[in-house]
Amino acid sequence: TYTRNKTMPNRHNATATPIDDLVDAVNSNLPALNQGESYTLEHLVGEDYWSAIPKGPRTQLGQAFKALAISGVLPVDYVGSTSSNKSLYELN
């Protein structure tokens, strides 16, 4: 269960899921992000992390992350999408 905080606790255990790992990657990058700017998920987690995920799982993770952002439990808000249909997020 996620709680609404500016940052979420990192989970270091054997039951962490891919979405947990993705949220942890976003949390670790939060200090480098600017309020009021829009970011793709690739930018939120880092290009190296994102490119290491195969395309199929990357699409599924992106959809799950967007749903969490829309539900208000992440430190980012879904704010729309780019012309190439990549979701955009801003710090909340």
Side-chain angles (χ1 to χ4, degrees), residues 2 8-17 19-28 49:
Y2 293 105
M8 296 169 36
N10 287 334
R11 293 158 303 282
H12 296 289
N13 61 49
T15 62
T17 64
I19 191 67
D20 292 334
D21 293 340
L22 189 75
V23 169
D24 288 344
V26 171
N27 282 331
S28 68
Y49 182 97

Side-chain angles (χ1 to χ4, degrees), residues 13 16 18 24-25 36-37 40-41 53 62 64 67-68 70-73 75-76 82 89-90:
N13 61 49
D24 288 344
E37 289 188 31
T40 63
L41 186 50
I53 303 169
L68 288 173
I70 290 171
S71 71
V73 297
V76 296
T82 67
Y89 303 91
E90 289 182 3

Side-chain angles (χ1 to χ4, degrees), residues 6-82:
K6 283 294 181 186
T7 61
M8 296 169 36
N10 287 334
R11 293 158 303 282
H12 296 289
N13 61 49
T15 62
T17 64
I19 191 67
D20 292 334
D21 293 340
L22 189 75
V23 169
D24 288 344
V26 171
N27 282 331
S28 68
N29 287 329
L30 285 178
L33 304 177
N34 297 315
Q35 196 75 33
E37 289 188 31
S38 297
Y39 298 95
T40 63
L41 186 50
E42 179 181 11
H43 288 116
L44 290 175
V45 298
E47 293 178 24
D48 291 340
Y49 182 97
W50 192 244
S51 64
I53 303 169
K55 183 167 176 40
R58 197 166 50 206
T59 300
Q60 293 172 334
L61 283 170
Q63 291 169 345
F65 186 86
K66 178 181 173 182
L68 288 173
I70 290 171
S71 71
V73 297
L74 295 178
V76 296
D77 295 317
Y78 172 75
V79 295
S81 60
T82 67

